[in-house]
Amino acid sequence: MSEQLLPLTIDGIRLTDDNDGLNPQRSPGTGLKFGQGTITLVMGPNGAGKTRLLEMTAGLRFTEEWNISYGDERMWLRGRKSRRRRNPAALLAYGYASQSPEEQLFARSVASELRY
């Protein structure tokens, strides 16, 4: 069984034309698309939003502003009563590693973590 890698697409991301971020510009059709099997470097000064970008992309933080999808699978779906819920198919299409291991591991041993 071959593993299918899906492109990551982020639509609705705001672009700024200056370094201080005070003049955000939202353009229709503006978005980012990352091809399968590629490596992307995210750089910026402290407080620029790198971690927030990755957390939203991974589905750890909800955002109304962006439409995030892995292939044809949208990260967020509307559940009952219009509540947002994560799409299990999209969650299985990627991996996320936090910058601080203590934020992502919770078991007392690697074996326990893997069993979970």
Side-chain angles (χ1 to χ4, degrees):
M1 182 168 133
S2 68
E3 181 180 320
Q4 181 184 7
L5 299 173
L6 302 173
L8 163 65
T9 305
I10 305 172
D11 289 321
I13 197 162
R14 293 184 320 175
L15 303 176
T16 59
D17 61 356
D18 57 10
N19 291 332
D20 61 10
L22 297 177
N23 298 312
Q25 297 178 347
R26 190 177 210 162
S27 305
T30 299
L32 300 173
K33 186 167 188 172
F34 303 95
Q36 58 188 8
T38 62
I39 297 173
T40 303
L41 176 65
V42 178
M43 293 176 48
N46 289 346
K50 300 177 299 292
T51 299
R52 186 175 182 151
L53 165 73
L54 295 174
E55 288 174 350
M56 289 195 287
T57 302
L60 299 175
R61 287 180 185 242
F62 174 70
T63 175
E64 285 279 348
E65 298 174 5
W66 301 354
N67 294 315
I68 301 165
S69 60
Y70 292 88
D72 294 331
E73 298 291 342
R74 294 185 71 121
M75 175 57 72
W76 294 93
L77 303 173
R78 289 204 184 268
R80 289 183 282 194
K81 299 182 182 178
S82 294
R83 290 187 183 167
R84 297 286 183 163
R85 65 179 178 86
R86 290 177 193 91
N87 180 352
L91 290 171
L92 293 173
Y94 74 92
Y96 174 78
S98 174
Q99 65 185 5
S100 303
E102 63 274 8
E103 293 177 3
Q104 63 190 15
L105 303 175
F106 56 88
R108 298 192 57 78
S109 70
V110 172
S112 297
E113 190 77 30
L114 292 173
R115 274 194 300 275
Y116 176 80

